[in-house]
Amino acid sequence: MKQFADRPRLLALGEPTHGEDALLELRNELFRQLVEQEGYRTITIESDCLRGLIVDDYVTSGTGTLDEVMERGFSHGWGASAANRELVRWMRAHNDGRPASERLRFAGFDGPLEITGAESPRQALTALHGFLAARVDPELLPRTAGFLDSLLGADERWTDPAAMTDPARSVGQSVEAGRLRLLADDLVALLDAQTPHLVEASSPEELERARLYGRTAIGLLRYHHWTADASPARMSRLVGLRDLMMADNLLALAERGPVLVHAHNAHLQREKSAMRMGGAPLEWWSAGALLSARLGAEYAFVATALGTIRHRGVGTPAPDTVEGLLHALPRDRCVVDARRLAAALGDTAPAHRVSPWFGYAPFDPAHLPACDGIVFVKDVPQR
């Protein structure tokens, strides 16, 4: 925290690879300290924002069981992680007996998206419609729930995994999908237009969730639309839209107070993100870049860099890389001031580290000046 003049509203900790519980255990340790010592009240991770509501209900009020929450409350397989389970268990224990104003909240900030495709917009659209139908004049609603259901059709039409590689398999540019995009826009406009009444007719949590449903419905329909696009920019647009959904969710979470964020470095860095998919290069502005442009110093990003992951074939880094310089330090893990490191290096540009394993993205030395700090872990043990 000495890196910052003031406590960042959004403090993001990145990781260069997924699936290593040792890194998630370190995240848990850091986040516990920041909650207890710095007053952070929300923890959010790279997981489905709608599923995350199940976890939030559990940690705030004990709804459900831990086993049920880990099975249903996470996307991307994160519920199987022992470290994620420990995070949820600790958050529930932390909240036990505390007044609502002091409880720690959980959120997923990713869209309802997996590598193999996007979810149906049904849950978000029907939840938003139901919220409004219970609180506003029925004549103001643009359509009935039955009409909404007829446009949605079977969920399998939306979730077909073949659509990720074959735009012709996507329903995102069908007539029904186009009408649903207009309907979602009308519902969100009605939600905004009725805000004074809804503040009186709803709890803050109910209104917050309705806004989440609205953002998610519009984001999913937009994502499905471009899944059906056959242009060369299709995949770049899709990965960019995913990060836009992430950024919108994080901005909404920041409105209620200081937030701790955890995701891949590529989603949180200030620099433009890049990767190769199917042999083609992709570039897009990450959620972190979008947040930094909106929030300035209220957004902070600390990357995690690694020395070795020997069980993945990632050995000792070359001494002229950022990881090699940090690997020579006597500590197994440390926090480094990235900008001071950049200044100390001066005109000596570190080499780019090349990973022998596709699942690990080395730290880009060009990103040092735009990074607030680096958490360095010398060796990731095998489990």
Side-chain angles (χ1 to χ4, degrees):
M1 297 305 291
K2 293 177 182 177
Q3 304 286 94
F4 312 109
D6 298 298
R7 179 184 65 184
R9 180 169 286 269
L10 279 169
L11 176 53
L13 173 66
E15 63 175 3
T17 183
H18 285 321
E20 298 293 341
D21 261 16
L23 299 184
L24 301 186
E25 289 165 2
L26 176 58
R27 171 206 66 188
N28 292 353
E29 180 182 339
L30 290 170
F31 281 8
R32 280 196 297 268
Q33 293 180 34
L34 290 164
V35 166
E36 293 167 354
Q37 300 173 19
E38 302 295 335
Y40 281 90
R41 287 290 176 266
T42 297
I43 291 176
T44 184
I45 71 170
E46 183 186 338
S47 185
D48 182 333
C49 57
L50 298 185
R51 292 193 186 196
L53 298 175
I54 297 171
V55 187
D56 190 48
D57 284 341
Y58 177 76
V59 301
T60 56
S61 59
T63 302
T65 68
L66 182 56
D67 285 342
E68 291 168 347
V69 167
M70 299 311 298
E71 180 180 353
R72 299 174 50 234
F74 293 87
S75 59
H76 304 90
W78 301 153
S81 160
N84 282 338
R85 185 183 184 90
E86 174 56 23
L87 175 67
V88 175
R89 187 210 62 77
W90 171 76
M91 292 179 71
R92 176 67 200 129
H94 175 89
N95 284 338
D96 192 29
R98 293 178 185 268
S101 61
E102 296 179 11
R103 288 176 194 157
L104 189 56
R105 303 285 301 276
F106 179 90
F109 71 92
D110 201 353
L113 310 169
E114 294 282 0
I115 299 300
T116 55
E119 292 291 337
S120 164
R122 179 184 304 280
Q123 180 185 356
L125 273 173
T126 56
L128 175 59
H129 189 279
F131 172 85
L132 291 169
R135 292 167 177 82
V136 304
D137 186 337
E139 293 185 1
L140 294 175
L141 284 172
R143 291 290 183 175
T144 65
F147 181 79
L148 190 65
D149 191 62
S150 69
L151 290 179
L152 285 163
D155 285 346
E156 291 76 15
R157 298 171 64 235
W158 300 91
T159 58
D160 181 0
M164 283 307 295
T165 54
D166 182 0
R169 296 289 295 272
S170 171
V171 298
Q173 293 188 17
S174 65
V175 172
E176 293 85 356
R179 298 182 74 177
L180 283 168
R181 288 187 78 184
L182 291 173
L183 181 54
D185 184 71
D186 282 343
L187 290 172
V188 171
L190 180 59
L191 180 71
D192 291 340
Q194 292 291 310
T195 295
H197 164 67
L198 294 172
V199 166
E200 298 295 326
S202 315
S203 69
E205 290 75 19
E206 288 171 333
L207 188 53
E208 182 182 81
R209 289 193 176 192
R211 289 176 176 143
L212 171 61
Y213 294 137
R215 289 194 306 276
T216 305
I218 286 177
L220 274 175
L221 287 163
R222 184 185 294 129
Y223 190 92
H224 279 290
H225 176 88
W226 288 104
T227 301
D229 178 59
S231 75
R234 174 179 184 263
M235 289 309 303
S236 288
R237 189 179 288 274
L238 288 177
V239 293
L241 288 174
R242 180 189 177 195
D243 273 70
L244 178 60
M245 291 179 73
M246 289 181 169
D248 286 343
N249 284 332
L250 288 170
L251 285 169
L253 291 172
E255 289 180 3
R256 72 186 186 199
V259 183
L260 296 169
V261 185
H262 188 258
H264 198 284
N265 287 334
H267 291 304
L268 301 176
Q269 65 193 31
R270 289 186 174 90
E271 304 285 357
K272 206 167 195 177
S273 295
M275 64 182 294
R276 296 189 71 84
M277 184 175 289
L282 305 180
E283 286 190 342
W284 73 99
W285 290 110
S286 72
L290 297 171
L291 291 164
S292 183
R294 290 282 298 274
L295 297 177
E298 289 193 297
Y299 176 73
F301 168 54
V302 177
T304 297
L306 305 177
T308 71
I309 323 174
R310 297 192 187 279
H311 60 283
R312 301 292 192 184
V314 181
T316 303
D320 59 346
T321 63
V322 169
E323 289 89 348
L325 292 168
L326 299 177
H327 200 265
L329 297 175
R331 297 186 179 183
D332 290 335
R333 58 189 200 181
C334 57
V335 178
V336 178
D337 185 328
R339 293 188 177 95
R340 287 182 64 191
L341 176 58
L345 290 170
D347 295 332
T348 304
H352 284 259
R353 188 183 191 188
V354 178
S355 172
W357 176 50
F358 75 95
Y360 160 62
F363 185 83
D364 187 337
H367 293 181
L368 271 176
C371 190
D372 294 297
I374 298 174
V375 171
F376 182 71
V377 178
K378 182 171 285 190
D379 301 293
V380 177
Q382 184 174 5
R383 289 300 178 96

